Amino acid sequence: MKKLLFALTLITVLFSNAQNRFDNVEIITHEVNQNVYMLEGAGGNILLQVGESEVVMIDSQYAPLSDKLKKEIARITDKPLTYLINTHHHGDHTGGNENFNTDQVTIIAHTNVMKRLTESEKSKGFLPEKVLEEAYELSLVDENNLIIHVHHAHTDGDSFVYLTKNNVVHTGDVYFNGSYPFIDLNSGGSITGYINAQKQILTTINEKTKIVPGHGAIASYNDLADYIPMLVDLKTQIQKEISDGKTREQVEKNNSITKKYDAEGFGDGYISPEKIRTIIYDSLILEATHK
């Protein structure tokens, strides 16, 4: 009986902590361009595009933050939401979907986002009503948005969104500004696909484009351009370690691989230096297995 009571108490405490961790989260708005805003809270960055008669929201963060987000959005515009685009399926980007979904809102995402949200038994209100395979042009009254799928990058369902007139791109988690990226290998991500996705973004945008990353501060073309060589360098170094017969544990403990970038603060985020080394190691092993 005591064990049961302890278990129930533990569950209650864990649930309460999960709820309370959002209580002190503040939604901070950054103006990216005229009528384009980045909303920072907890989880992935949200982009809000306020058009002449349509409002587009990219990603929805966690469900417990929806009321705070709605309040902040109402401060920015009194126009109703028209489209909600998900850059991928992770809960810190899709958790609020159902809370923002109305009869006037169309949720758009890649087909693999639909697949993964369905597999996780999300209710209908979470799910995309419009799915894309490769690319989709969202035609608005005053602008066209390009939603472009990138293959096996952060996940297998990533898309970046390019606001052509405003010259702003939301990369989703294909870019973590200022920190090592999380690459979800269990959801079809890979280091090679991640690098290729960033290169594809660069060829789509231009040097004046403002970048809203999945996580981190608003960035520039050059910020992303400088990020790619770091990933290429880490991939090259770890591939050499693999070719030399080094084990996963040896690579995990080899601080010299990431030392240069650790000193620049890239390991201070969600992904530690040890974690990025093992992610890339595991990715390269998987890629070699599937060749």
Side-chain angles (χ1 to χ4, degrees), residues 124-143:
K124 186 178 179 181
F126 275 92
L127 305 179
E129 288 105 3
K130 169 67 181 177
V131 296
L132 60 131
E133 295 287 345
E134 292 299 329
Y136 176 71
E137 184 172 352
L138 178 61
S139 297
L140 307 175
V141 172
D142 46 3
E143 179 166 15

Side-chain angles (χ1 to χ4, degrees), residues 204-252:
T204 303
I205 65 176
N206 58 66
E207 293 184 0
K208 294 183 179 180
T209 304
K210 292 184 178 179
I211 298 175
V212 173
H215 298 265
I218 297 169
S220 68
Y221 178 98
N222 289 335
D223 291 329
L224 179 56
D226 291 341
Y227 194 90
I228 295 172
M230 174 189 72
L231 293 182
V232 171
D233 180 36
L234 294 180
K235 177 187 173 184
T236 301
Q237 288 191 68
I238 293 172
Q239 182 61 68
K240 185 177 186 304
E241 295 288 292
I242 293 172
S243 299
D244 289 344
K246 299 296 175 61
T247 66
R248 185 181 191 273
E249 184 179 11
Q250 287 173 315
V251 170
E252 181 180 17

Side-chain angles (χ1 to χ4, degrees), residues 24-287:
N24 296 323
V25 172
E26 180 183 359
I27 306 301
I28 301 172
T29 296
H30 306 269
E31 185 171 355
V32 184
N33 267 348
Q34 186 178 14
N35 298 325
V36 180
Y37 307 87
M38 185 182 90
L39 276 59
E40 178 185 2
N45 291 325
I46 289 173
L47 185 150
L48 190 72
Q49 176 188 20
V50 181
E52 181 180 318
S53 58
E54 297 154 309
V55 177
V56 178
M57 181 175 174
I58 303 176
D59 288 338
S60 60
Q61 293 195 0
Y62 294 106
L65 293 173
S66 294
D67 287 343
K68 291 183 178 182
L69 286 165
K70 287 179 180 180
K71 183 177 180 180
E72 182 63 13
I73 291 170
R75 189 187 66 79
I76 296 169
T77 179
D78 59 0
K79 299 173 184 176
L81 184 65
T82 316
Y83 297 100
L84 172 56
I85 302 169
N86 290 148
T87 59
H88 61 290
H89 74 280
H90 286 153
D92 62 320
H93 295 257
T94 62
N97 276 13
E98 188 169 42
N99 296 332
F100 286 94
N101 200 358
T102 68
D103 291 341
Q104 289 74 44
V105 174
T106 301
I107 301 179
I108 305 173
H110 186 260
T111 183
N112 285 339
V113 174
M114 167 70 91
K115 177 183 176 183
R116 293 189 181 280
L117 289 178
T118 302
E119 288 174 347
S120 62
E121 299 184 346
K122 294 294 185 183
S123 63
K124 186 178 179 181
F126 275 92
L127 305 179
E129 288 105 3
K130 169 67 181 177
V131 296
L132 60 131
E133 295 287 345
E134 292 299 329
Y136 176 71
E137 184 172 352
L138 178 61
S139 297
L140 307 175
V141 172
D142 46 3
E143 179 166 15
N144 289 338
N145 292 349
L146 301 179
I147 308 172
I148 301 175
H149 171 56
V150 286
H151 295 258
H152 298 288
H154 172 64
T155 68
D156 61 5
D158 299 297
S159 299
F160 66 90
V161 186
Y162 182 39
L163 284 54
T164 56
K165 181 179 177 181
N166 281 287
N167 200 15
V168 176
V169 65
H170 191 313
T171 66
D173 281 1
V174 174
Y175 180 38
F176 284 61
N177 186 19
S179 62
Y180 292 130
F182 170 51
I183 301 174
D184 188 351
L185 305 183
N186 293 325
S187 296
S190 71
I191 182 60
T192 299
Y194 201 94
I195 292 169
N196 289 340
Q198 292 193 339
K199 290 179 178 178
Q200 185 174 349
I201 292 171
L202 283 184
T203 61
T204 303
I205 65 176
N206 58 66
E207 293 184 0
K208 294 183 179 180
T209 304
K210 292 184 178 179
I211 298 175
V212 173
H215 298 265
I218 297 169
S220 68
Y221 178 98
N222 289 335
D223 291 329
L224 179 56
D226 291 341
Y227 194 90
I228 295 172
M230 174 189 72
L231 293 182
V232 171
D233 180 36
L234 294 180
K235 177 187 173 184
T236 301
Q237 288 191 68
I238 293 172
Q239 182 61 68
K240 185 177 186 304
E241 295 288 292
I242 293 172
S243 299
D244 289 344
K246 299 296 175 61
T247 66
R248 185 181 191 273
E249 184 179 11
Q250 287 173 315
V251 170
E252 181 180 17
K253 292 180 177 179
N254 188 354
N255 296 328
S256 66
I257 295 172
T258 55
K259 182 179 179 181
K260 173 183 176 182
Y261 308 109
D262 297 344
E264 296 174 12
F266 283 96
D268 297 339
Y270 174 65
I271 299 298
S272 67
E274 294 80 11
K275 186 64 175 175
I276 193 61
R277 294 195 294 267
T278 56
I279 286 174
I280 295 174
Y281 181 97
D282 292 343
S283 181
L284 291 172
I285 294 295
L286 283 171
E287 289 178 44

Side-chain angles (χ1 to χ4, degrees), residues 1-10:
M1 184 66 179
K2 287 182 178 179
K3 289 183 178 179
L4 177 60
L5 288 173
F6 175 77
L8 290 172
T9 301
L10 181 60

